[in-house]
Amino acid sequence: MAETDQITNLILQRMDQLQNSIDNVDRRMVTSEDRASASRRSMHRRQEEQGQKLVAIEHRLGSVEKSVSDAAPTLEDYAMTKAKVEGAGALGRFLWTLGGVLLAIALWIVARWDGLIAWLTSR
């Protein structure tokens, strides 16, 4: 009977060890599940934040597009006016050059007036 008690005690010790091992595995699994749950919760929160930021960016981009499309007629008008001003500037430079040439011719005629009258009357 002493031998049976020893075997029974050994079996009970082994069962206690197995129970302890199972408890340890169970605790590790619970800890792992808690960490995984926290990680998923954190990832879900970050995805929501990114979604909100994306919505805000879409809204701002829409505002920019609207403002650019609203400004398009003004920009076209500005470009047309700029082209007109450039053309007027070119015409002004041409007229100043022409006026300078005509003034030079007039001054030359005045300076040579006596000689021209003599030349015209001698013919």
Side-chain angles (χ1 to χ4, degrees):
M1 186 97 134
E3 200 174 299
T4 306
D5 289 337
Q6 283 180 340
I7 292 174
T8 304
N9 284 339
L10 273 173
I11 290 173
L12 289 175
Q13 285 176 355
R14 293 287 181 202
M15 287 178 69
D16 284 342
Q17 289 174 352
L18 283 173
Q19 184 63 41
N20 288 339
S21 293
I22 290 171
D23 290 343
N24 287 337
V25 168
D26 191 37
R27 273 192 301 266
R28 281 185 284 187
M29 285 178 60
V30 167
T31 303
S32 176
E33 286 175 1
D34 290 345
R35 275 191 250 141
S37 176
S39 176
R40 284 190 301 272
R41 191 174 26 255
S42 172
M43 184 167 306
H44 182 67
R45 183 179 34 79
R46 282 182 285 176
Q47 284 177 339
E48 282 185 19
E49 288 172 0
Q50 288 177 347
Q52 291 170 352
K53 287 178 183 178
L54 187 59
V55 166
I57 288 171
E58 274 184 33
H59 178 69
R60 290 179 68 189
L61 183 59
S63 297
V64 169
E65 287 175 344
K66 183 180 182 311
S67 113
V68 167
S69 67
D70 289 348
T74 304
L75 294 174
E76 289 174 10
D77 189 38
Y78 171 76
M80 189 182 319
T81 303
K82 184 179 176 186
K84 288 178 183 178
V85 167
E86 287 174 354
L91 178 63
R93 282 189 296 279
F94 172 74
L95 291 176
W96 273 102
T97 304
L98 181 63
V101 169
L102 291 175
L103 184 62
I105 291 171
L107 288 175
W108 182 79
I109 290 174
V110 168
R112 305 275 184 211
W113 186 252
D114 291 337
L116 283 174
I117 294 292
W119 180 70
L120 286 174
T121 54
S122 69
R123 284 205 165 222

